[in-house]
CSV table of all heavy atoms in Angstrom, one decimal:
chain,number,residue,atom,x,y,z
W,759,SER,N,102.8,128.0,119.4
W,759,SER,CA,101.6,128.5,119.8
W,759,SER,C,101.3,128.3,121.3
W,759,SER,O,100.5,129.0,122.0
W,759,SER,CB,100.4,127.8,119.1
W,759,SER,OG,100.2,126.4,119.5
W,760,LEU,N,101.9,127.2,121.8
W,760,LEU,CA,101.7,126.9,123.3
W,760,LEU,C,102.7,127.7,124.2
W,760,LEU,O,102.5,128.0,125.4
W,760,LEU,CB,101.9,125.4,123.5
W,760,LEU,CG,100.7,124.5,123.0
W,760,LEU,CD1,101.0,123.1,123.1
W,760,LEU,CD2,99.4,125.0,123.6
W,761,CYS,N,103.9,128.0,123.6
W,761,CYS,CA,105.0,128.6,124.4
W,761,CYS,C,105.4,129.9,123.7
W,761,CYS,O,106.6,130.3,123.8
W,761,CYS,CB,106.2,127.7,124.4
W,761,CYS,SG,105.7,126.0,125.2
W,762,ALA,N,104.5,130.6,123.2
W,762,ALA,CA,104.8,131.9,122.5
W,762,ALA,C,105.4,132.9,123.3
W,762,ALA,O,106.4,133.7,123.0
W,762,ALA,CB,103.7,132.5,121.7
W,763,ASN,N,105.0,133.1,124.5
W,763,ASN,CA,105.4,134.1,125.5
W,763,ASN,C,106.4,133.7,126.5
W,763,ASN,O,106.6,134.4,127.4
W,763,ASN,CB,104.1,134.7,126.1
W,763,ASN,CG,103.1,135.2,125.2
W,763,ASN,OD1,103.5,135.9,124.2
W,763,ASN,ND2,101.8,134.9,125.4
W,764,VAL,N,107.0,132.6,126.2
W,764,VAL,CA,108.1,132.1,127.2
W,764,VAL,C,109.5,132.3,126.5
W,764,VAL,O,109.7,131.9,125.3
W,764,VAL,CB,107.9,130.6,127.4
W,764,VAL,CG1,109.0,130.1,128.2
W,764,VAL,CG2,106.6,130.4,128.1
W,765,ASP,N,110.4,132.8,127.2
W,765,ASP,CA,111.8,133.0,126.8
W,765,ASP,C,112.5,131.8,127.3
W,765,ASP,O,112.8,131.5,128.4
W,765,ASP,CB,112.4,134.2,127.4
W,765,ASP,CG,113.9,134.4,126.8
W,765,ASP,OD1,114.3,133.5,126.0
W,765,ASP,OD2,114.5,135.3,127.2
W,766,PRO,N,112.8,130.8,126.4
W,766,PRO,CA,113.4,129.6,126.8
W,766,PRO,C,114.9,129.7,127.1
W,766,PRO,O,115.5,128.7,127.6
W,766,PRO,CB,113.2,128.6,125.7
W,766,PRO,CG,113.1,129.4,124.5
W,766,PRO,CD,112.6,130.8,124.9
W,767,MET,N,115.6,130.8,126.7
W,767,MET,CA,117.0,130.8,126.7
W,767,MET,C,117.6,130.5,128.2
W,767,MET,O,118.5,129.8,128.2
W,767,MET,CB,117.5,132.1,126.1
W,767,MET,CG,117.1,132.4,124.7
W,767,MET,SD,117.9,131.1,123.7
W,767,MET,CE,119.6,131.5,123.8
W,768,PRO,N,117.1,131.2,129.2
W,768,PRO,CA,117.6,130.9,130.5
W,768,PRO,C,117.7,129.5,131.0
W,768,PRO,O,118.4,129.1,131.8
W,768,PRO,CB,116.9,131.8,131.4
W,768,PRO,CG,116.3,132.9,130.6
W,768,PRO,CD,116.0,132.1,129.3
W,769,LEU,N,116.6,128.7,130.5
W,769,LEU,CA,116.5,127.3,130.9
W,769,LEU,C,117.3,126.4,130.1
W,769,LEU,O,117.3,125.2,130.3
W,769,LEU,CB,115.0,126.9,130.8
W,769,LEU,CG,114.0,127.7,131.6
W,769,LEU,CD1,112.6,127.3,131.3
W,769,LEU,CD2,114.3,127.5,133.1
W,770,TYR,N,118.0,126.9,129.1
W,770,TYR,CA,118.5,126.0,128.0
W,770,TYR,C,120.0,126.0,128.2
W,770,TYR,O,120.7,127.0,128.0
W,770,TYR,CB,118.2,126.5,126.7
W,770,TYR,CG,118.2,125.5,125.6
W,770,TYR,CD1,117.6,124.3,125.7
W,770,TYR,CD2,118.9,125.7,124.4
W,770,TYR,CE1,117.6,123.3,124.7
W,770,TYR,CE2,119.0,124.8,123.4
W,770,TYR,CZ,118.3,123.6,123.6
W,770,TYR,OH,118.4,122.7,122.6
W,771,SER,N,120.6,124.9,128.5
W,771,SER,CA,122.0,124.7,128.7
W,771,SER,C,122.8,124.6,127.5
W,771,SER,O,122.2,124.2,126.4
W,771,SER,CB,122.4,123.5,129.6
W,771,SER,OG,122.0,122.3,128.9
W,772,GLY,N,124.1,124.9,127.4
W,772,GLY,CA,124.9,124.8,126.2
W,772,GLY,C,125.0,123.3,125.8
W,772,GLY,O,125.0,123.2,124.6
W,773,ALA,N,125.0,122.5,126.7
W,773,ALA,CA,125.1,121.1,126.2
W,773,ALA,C,123.8,120.6,125.4
W,773,ALA,O,123.9,120.0,124.5
W,773,ALA,CB,125.2,120.1,127.5
W,774,HIS,N,122.7,121.0,126.1
W,774,HIS,CA,121.4,120.8,125.3
W,774,HIS,C,121.3,121.4,124.0
W,774,HIS,O,120.9,120.7,122.9
W,774,HIS,CB,120.2,121.2,126.1
W,774,HIS,CG,120.0,120.5,127.4
W,774,HIS,ND1,119.5,121.0,128.5
W,774,HIS,CD2,120.2,119.1,127.7
W,774,HIS,CE1,119.3,120.1,129.5
W,774,HIS,NE2,119.8,118.9,128.9
W,775,ARG,N,121.8,122.7,123.8
W,775,ARG,CA,121.7,123.3,122.6
W,775,ARG,C,122.6,122.7,121.6
W,775,ARG,O,122.3,122.6,120.4
W,775,ARG,CB,122.1,124.8,122.8
W,775,ARG,CG,122.0,125.6,121.5
W,775,ARG,CD,122.1,127.1,121.7
W,775,ARG,NE,121.1,127.6,122.6
W,775,ARG,CZ,120.0,127.9,122.2
W,775,ARG,NH1,119.6,127.9,120.8
W,775,ARG,NH2,119.0,128.3,123.0
W,776,ALA,N,123.8,122.3,122.0
W,776,ALA,CA,124.7,121.6,121.1
W,776,ALA,C,124.2,120.3,120.6
W,776,ALA,O,124.3,119.9,119.4
W,776,ALA,CB,126.1,121.4,121.7
W,777,ALA,N,123.6,119.5,121.5
W,777,ALA,CA,123.0,118.2,121.2
W,777,ALA,C,121.9,118.4,120.1
W,777,ALA,O,121.8,117.7,119.1
W,777,ALA,CB,122.5,117.5,122.4
W,778,ASP,N,120.9,119.4,120.4
W,778,ASP,CA,119.8,119.6,119.5
W,778,ASP,C,120.3,120.2,118.1
W,778,ASP,O,119.7,119.8,117.1
W,778,ASP,CB,118.8,120.6,120.2
W,778,ASP,CG,117.9,119.9,121.1
W,778,ASP,OD1,117.9,118.6,121.2
W,778,ASP,OD2,117.1,120.5,121.8
W,779,SER,N,121.3,121.0,118.2
W,779,SER,CA,121.8,121.5,117.0
W,779,SER,C,122.5,120.3,116.0
W,779,SER,O,122.3,120.3,114.8
W,779,SER,CB,123.0,122.6,117.2
W,779,SER,OG,122.4,123.7,117.7
Side-chain angles (χ1 to χ4, degrees):
S759 72
L760 294 175
C761 301
N763 299 315
V764 178
D765 182 6
M767 296 299 291
L769 300 174
Y770 202 52
S771 69
H774 288 149
R775 184 170 296 280
D778 277 352
S779 297

